[in-house]
Amino acid sequence: MANNMRYFIGNWKMFGVPKSINILNKINTFVKLDKNHNKRYKVIITPPYTLLESYSNIFKNKRISIGAQNCYHKDNFGSNTGAISPYMVKNLGAKYIIIGHSDNRAEGDNDIILKDKVIFALKNKLKIIFCIGENKRQKLNKLTFTTLRKQLTKVLERKFEENNIIVAYEPIWSIGTGKIPQQSELQKTTKFIKKILKNIFKTKKSPKVLYGGSVDSSSIKQFTELNDIDGFLIGGASKSSKNFIDIIKNYYR
Ligand code: PEP
C-alpha cells in the first residue's frame, strides 16, 4: 500500500439494521466511480456484530471492507454469555477489528484484557485498529504523552506483526463533542505516537496512525495539510452516506 494511502473508517457503534445496507451501497458506488480511489484511500466500515456476516458477504469483492467493533478477550468457543470471540468474528468474514475504543475501555477493558484481544485477533489474521487517547483531565494535567505511551507500551509488543496494526488516536474529549485538537498539537502527538510505535516494533517503517474525534464533512478540511495522519476513524458522521462521502470529497478538494 502506498505511503500516502489514507484510511476512512466508519464506526457505526450501536447503529444499523439489515436495511442500513443502503448507506453502504451508496458509499460503495461513490468509491467505485472515483478513478483515484485505488491510489488514494481505503474505506472500512465497522457495523455491529449482527450485520457482520451479511455485510461481509455482500461486500466481499467490492470497494468497502468490513470490520468488527470489538471482540471478547478469549478465543474460539467458551461459556461466556453474550461474548463473541475473534475466531467467531473472523468466521463471519470480517477483515478488520477495532480494539481499545474508549467506549470499551470505560466499560472495563484494561491493558491486560486488551493485550489478549490483540493477541487473539492477530492469531485469527484480523487487521487491528487499536484506539488510544487521553481524557480531558489528563489533557489539562499535561499527561497526554504519558497516557499515550502507557496505552501503547502496555499492550503492543515487538513480536506482533506491525503491518496488521493501525493505531487510531482518539482524544476522548473530542469524541462526539465537536472539539478538535489544534493542528500543531495534533501534529506533535501524531509524531510522538509514531516514534513510540517505531520503538516498540524496532522498525524504521512509518507506522499507520489515524485520527478520530468529531471528524465530519466540515472539520475534515483542517486535516488536509497534516501529512503524518494516515486517515480517520469516523463515528457519528459515518451513519449517513452523504456525510461520509462528503468527508472523502472535502479531504481531496
Ligand atoms: C468514535 O467514537 O470513534 C468517534 C470518532 O466518534 P465521533 O466521530 O462521533 O466523534
Side-chain angles (χ1 to χ4, degrees), residues 7-11 13 98 101-102 129-134 148 166-181 186 189-190 193 208-216 219-220 223 226 229-237 247:
Y7 289 84
F8 291 89
I9 306 182
N11 176 17
K13 309 190 191 189
I98 295 177
H101 193 280
S102 54
I129 300 141
F130 183 62
C131 298
I132 57 170
E134 81 284 4
L148 300 178
I166 301 165
V167 167
Y169 169 56
E170 298 209 297
I172 298 172
W173 51 270
S174 173
I175 295 178
T177 59
K179 294 192 180 116
I180 306 262
L186 191 51
T189 311
T190 310
I193 294 168
K208 300 271 175 223
V209 177
L210 317 183
Y211 169 76
S214 295
V215 173
D216 60 23
S219 67
I220 190 72
F223 298 103
L226 297 175
I229 296 179
D230 299 293
F232 305 92
L233 183 52
I234 304 152
I247 288 174

Side-chain angles (χ1 to χ4, degrees), residues 18 21 25 53-62:
I21 191 83
N25 283 333
E53 183 173 22
S54 58
Y55 285 14
S56 295
N57 282 335
I58 293 166
F59 289 99
K60 203 168 186 173
N61 295 313
K62 302 239 165 78

Side-chain angles (χ1 to χ4, degrees), residues 88-130:
M88 290 157 77
V89 165
K90 179 68 181 183
N91 271 269
L92 294 177
K95 300 267 183 290
Y96 290 82
I97 188 160
I98 295 177
I99 292 178
H101 193 280
S102 54
D103 289 345
N104 307 121
R105 288 179 187 262
E107 285 162 356
D109 276 12
N110 59 30
D111 295 332
I112 296 167
I113 289 176
L114 292 174
K115 192 191 270 282
D116 282 342
K117 290 188 182 193
V118 170
I119 289 171
F120 294 130
L122 288 174
K123 186 178 144 216
N124 284 284
K125 306 263 175 285
L126 290 160
K127 287 189 191 289
I128 294 172
I129 300 141
F130 183 62

Side-chain angles (χ1 to χ4, degrees), residues 138-193:
Q138 288 160 334
K139 178 179 165 54
L140 292 175
N141 288 325
K142 304 207 181 321
L143 289 172
T144 298
F145 282 11
T146 314
T147 306
L148 300 178
R149 182 188 283 111
K150 256 201 220 145
Q151 289 173 334
L152 291 168
T153 54
K154 295 263 176 196
V155 175
L156 302 180
E157 289 186 39
R158 184 177 182 181
K159 66 176 186 207
F160 297 165
E161 299 111 331
E162 80 245 33
N163 292 338
N164 288 340
I165 300 175
I166 301 165
V167 167
Y169 169 56
E170 298 209 297
I172 298 172
W173 51 270
S174 173
I175 295 178
T177 59
K179 294 192 180 116
I180 306 262
Q182 284 172 359
Q183 291 206 8
S184 58
E185 201 181 356
L186 191 51
Q187 181 104 351
K188 259 195 253 161
T189 311
T190 310
K191 278 195 193 309
F192 174 78
I193 294 168

